[in-house]
Amino acid sequence: MKRIKLIIAYDGTNYCGWQIQNNAITIQEKIEEACRKLFSQEIKLIGASRTDTGVHAMGQVAVFDVDTTIPCDKIAYALNARLPEDIVIQKSEEVPLEFHPRYDAIKKTYNYLILNQEFILPQHRHYATFISKKLDLGEMKKATKLFIGKKDFNAFCSAHSSVKSTVRTVYDLEVKKEDSFIKIVITGNGFLYNMVRIIAGTLIDIGLHRITIEDLNRIIESKDRANASATAPAKGLTLEKIYYGEEKI
Amino acid sequence: MKRIKLIIAYDGTNYCGWQIQNNAITIQEKIEEACRKLFSQEIKLIGASRTDTGVHAMGQVAVFDVDTTIPCDKIAYALNARLPEDIVIQKSEEVPLEFHPRYDAIKKTYNYLILNQEFILPQHRHYATFISKKLDLGEMKKATKLFIGKKDFNAFCSAHSSVKSTVRTVYDLEVKKEDSFIKIVITGNGFLYNMVRIIAGTLIDIGLHRITIEDLNRIIESKDRANASATAPAKGLTLEKIYYGEEKI
């Protein structure tokens, strides 16, 4: 028996997120189907991150166990031939049987893309949130500092969530302008449910001068979801990369 | 009567190109339909560039004549409300009645996007041509010099075309690496049918070492389409911008 690690990119537009569920098409289901066709047996995937409906990925990670003679690095090609065009395995490799994509992850990077100009660019309609009013990049950049470090992010966690601890460490948070886009790149040891999208929504409100840096300080301190901004739309979010022990933090 | 100039962005994936035709959905048709709904009369658009099936635009230009009390800069909003989400007017303004989007254009910029890594990134599947074999960027950059200037580009003109002269001036041609992408940006006073895609196909062959810089010299000199490379796929091509007299060359 071998444990195979997949690195997966997907366009989340047409899926109800990563995790398998009844009566909805998910990315996990599509990959399990492709595995079933390839290996002629039921395969159960363990994913690293449960991305929501409409969220994209460049570097989702999942593992499964199988007995196979197919060279491990060729499994990516074989699965891609059996997957729809909006899901593409980027890499397949054998990992130790005890490797776990969620528990062994040491940090994750997400990016959140905002198109900030008068009109939507149709090529980007599924991959960026559109804001026509000019965002104050300077204020957004200033605000990033308040999120960095080990903090209780309860104010930035969706109310539906029930986790033991809402303390997480944000290692890095950057706001960059690229042509008409503003890109938020965040790296942390883990993220609460909807945390990246609520942080993005809060940074957008800072950029629109709806809230000030002082307000943001109070929102973080309050640890109350009711005080933070609305969750920014799913389509702007991409799971960029998941880091494991073999890579430097 | 006023002449209205539109700057138009579109995702060409689901259209049979710009120009109206029977039994096929085109971008021109969709905008004329939106105009008909808005102004309650038949409107005939004159476009600057007849982009092919699957080709995208950020800055297509078209004009139409109309009697209207709608402020000219608001026509963009009114049309966007009546257009599908993959066509978005970026700007509307009044221009002199003698302004012609094709005859008055002094230069055009196109870009051609190549994803150059082992696997496709699904978010870019409609907006870039995928080449898994590593391209030699240095050779491609060297080759760009041969295209610049006033030349007979007959070797880079689709055989179906019947134009008076195949002499065009290429002002600038750049090949740049951006992450896993290679972007070809070309600016000229005009382009022959499929010229940008044949140049892109030729640069790709240079990057793959299928032809040398010396071969390219001979291909240009030959003025024979049979010698140049295959036309690169439409989906990598975007009409970036059309320049008129008011802007500097």
Side-chain angles (χ1 to χ4, degrees):
Chain A
M1 183 73 76
K2 288 173 183 168
R3 177 155 288 195
I4 308 298
K5 176 188 174 201
L6 303 176
I7 297 179
I8 309 154
Y10 46 82
D11 178 338
T13 308
N14 296 318
Y15 295 96
C16 292
W18 167 264
Q19 198 179 23
I20 220 157
Q21 51 182 288
N22 293 329
N23 307 317
I25 298 168
T26 65
I27 295 135
Q28 183 183 0
E29 178 192 336
K30 287 288 175 194
I31 302 174
E32 289 188 358
E33 266 176 34
C35 286
R36 198 180 311 134
K37 286 183 210 161
L38 177 60
F39 300 113
S40 304
Q41 59 180 275
E42 287 299 312
I43 297 281
K44 180 82 192 137
L45 279 185
I46 308 171
S49 189
R50 293 174 196 158
T51 59
D52 277 339
T53 301
V55 171
H56 313 291
M58 304 281 270
Q60 171 71 289
V61 172
V63 299
F64 63 92
D65 296 333
V66 74
D67 259 323
T68 181
T69 55
I70 303 173
C72 297
D73 61 326
K74 299 296 181 232
I75 291 175
Y77 292 89
L79 288 177
N80 286 338
R82 289 158 178 85
L83 279 166
E85 63 170 11
D86 48 8
I87 302 174
V88 182
I89 311 297
Q90 301 290 306
K91 193 178 179 184
S92 56
E93 59 176 337
E94 190 178 352
V95 288
L97 282 169
E98 61 274 16
F99 174 86
H100 192 286
R102 199 157 58 247
Y103 305 145
D104 291 350
I106 52 171
K107 61 175 190 167
K108 294 179 183 176
T109 298
Y110 281 87
N111 71 57
Y112 195 90
L113 196 63
I114 301 159
L115 174 61
N116 189 31
Q117 60 170 29
E118 194 174 359
F119 293 104
I120 291 179
L121 290 172
Q123 296 89 325
H124 299 276
R125 68 193 184 282
H126 299 306
Y127 312 108
T129 286
F130 171 63
I131 294 176
S132 59
K133 201 172 162 229
K134 198 171 164 47
L135 291 168
D136 183 335
L137 193 72
E139 282 298 295
M140 291 171 79
K141 279 179 189 283
K142 269 188 230 164
T144 59
K145 295 187 184 63
L146 277 72
F147 289 101
I148 293 171
K150 186 174 175 178
K151 283 172 203 283
D152 186 337
F153 283 99
N154 201 49
F156 301 89
C157 175
S158 196
H160 318 297
S161 172
S162 61
V163 283
K164 274 184 237 157
S165 165
T166 51
V167 174
R168 294 291 182 276
T169 302
V170 170
Y171 297 116
D172 196 32
L173 174 56
E174 236 191 313
V175 176
K176 325 187 243 196
K177 193 166 162 55
E178 294 177 357
D179 300 319
S180 295
F181 293 91
I182 289 175
K183 197 176 191 177
I184 299 169
V185 185
I186 187 165
T187 301
N189 66 348
F191 294 97
L192 302 165
Y193 185 52
N194 277 346
M195 178 170 155
V196 180
R197 288 167 58 192
I198 302 170
I199 290 176
T202 305
L203 285 171
I204 289 168
D205 277 352
I206 294 268
L208 292 171
H209 299 146
R210 283 182 188 154
I211 56 171
T212 65
I213 305 275
E214 292 69 41
D215 294 334
L216 175 57
N217 243 323
R218 281 190 291 271
I219 291 164
I220 296 174
E221 291 297 319
S222 78
K223 304 185 181 88
D224 182 354
R225 172 70 189 94
N227 293 328
S229 299
T231 307
K235 64 181 180 179
L237 186 63
T238 298
L239 170 55
E240 193 73 32
K241 190 170 177 177
I242 304 175
Y243 296 79
Y244 294 94
E246 71 270 30
E247 291 136 327
K248 278 205 305 262
I249 298 190
Chain B
M1 186 71 76
K2 288 172 182 166
R3 179 155 285 199
I4 307 298
K5 176 188 173 200
L6 303 177
I7 297 179
I8 308 154
Y10 46 82
D11 178 337
T13 309
N14 297 317
Y15 295 96
C16 291
W18 167 261
Q19 199 178 21
I20 219 158
Q21 51 181 290
N22 295 328
N23 308 319
I25 298 169
T26 65
I27 296 134
Q28 183 183 0
E29 178 192 335
K30 288 289 176 191
I31 302 174
E32 289 188 357
E33 266 177 35
C35 286
R36 195 180 312 133
K37 286 184 208 161
L38 177 60
F39 299 113
S40 304
Q41 58 179 274
E42 287 298 313
I43 297 280
K44 181 83 193 135
L45 278 186
I46 307 170
S49 188
R50 291 174 196 159
T51 59
D52 275 340
T53 300
V55 171
H56 313 290
M58 302 282 270
Q60 171 71 290
V61 172
V63 299
F64 63 92
D65 295 335
V66 72
D67 259 325
T68 180
T69 55
I70 303 173
C72 296
D73 61 324
K74 299 296 182 231
I75 289 173
Y77 291 91
L79 287 177
N80 285 338
R82 289 158 179 85
L83 279 167
E85 62 171 10
D86 49 7
I87 303 175
V88 181
I89 312 297
Q90 302 289 307
K91 193 179 178 183
S92 56
E93 60 175 337
E94 191 177 352
V95 287
L97 283 169
E98 60 275 18
F99 174 85
H100 193 288
R102 199 158 57 247
Y103 306 144
D104 291 351
I106 53 172
K107 60 174 190 169
K108 293 179 185 176
T109 298
Y110 280 87
N111 71 59
Y112 195 90
L113 197 62
I114 300 158
L115 174 61
N116 189 32
Q117 60 169 29
E118 194 175 358
F119 293 104
I120 291 180
L121 291 172
Q123 296 91 325
H124 300 274
R125 69 195 184 280
H126 299 307
Y127 313 108
T129 286
F130 171 64
I131 293 176
S132 59
K133 202 172 162 227
K134 197 169 163 54
L135 292 167
D136 184 334
L137 193 73
E139 282 301 292
M140 292 172 77
K141 278 179 189 283
K142 269 188 230 161
T144 59
K145 294 186 183 65
L146 278 72
F147 289 101
I148 293 172
K150 186 175 177 177
K151 283 172 202 281
D152 186 339
F153 283 99
N154 201 48
F156 302 89
C157 175
S158 195
H160 317 296
S161 174
S162 61
V163 284
K164 274 181 240 160
S165 164
T166 51
V167 174
R168 294 290 182 277
T169 302
V170 170
Y171 298 117
D172 197 32
L173 174 57
E174 235 191 313
V175 175
K176 323 187 246 197
K177 190 163 163 57
E178 296 178 354
D179 301 319
S180 295
F181 294 90
I182 290 175
K183 198 177 189 174
I184 300 169
V185 185
I186 187 165
T187 300
N189 67 345
F191 294 97
L192 301 165
Y193 185 53
N194 277 346
M195 177 170 155
V196 180
R197 287 166 56 193
I198 301 169
I199 291 177
T202 305
L203 285 171
I204 289 168
D205 277 353
I206 294 268
L208 291 171
H209 299 146
R210 285 183 187 153
I211 57 173
T212 65
I213 305 274
E214 292 68 40
D215 294 334
L216 175 57
N217 244 323
R218 283 190 290 272
I219 292 164
I220 296 175
E221 292 296 320
S222 77
K223 303 187 182 85
D224 182 354
R225 173 67 188 97
N227 294 327
S229 300
T231 307
K235 64 181 179 178
L237 185 62
T238 298
L239 168 55
E240 191 75 31
K241 191 172 176 175
I242 304 174
Y243 296 79
Y244 294 93
E246 70 270 28
E247 290 135 327
K248 281 203 305 260
I249 298 189

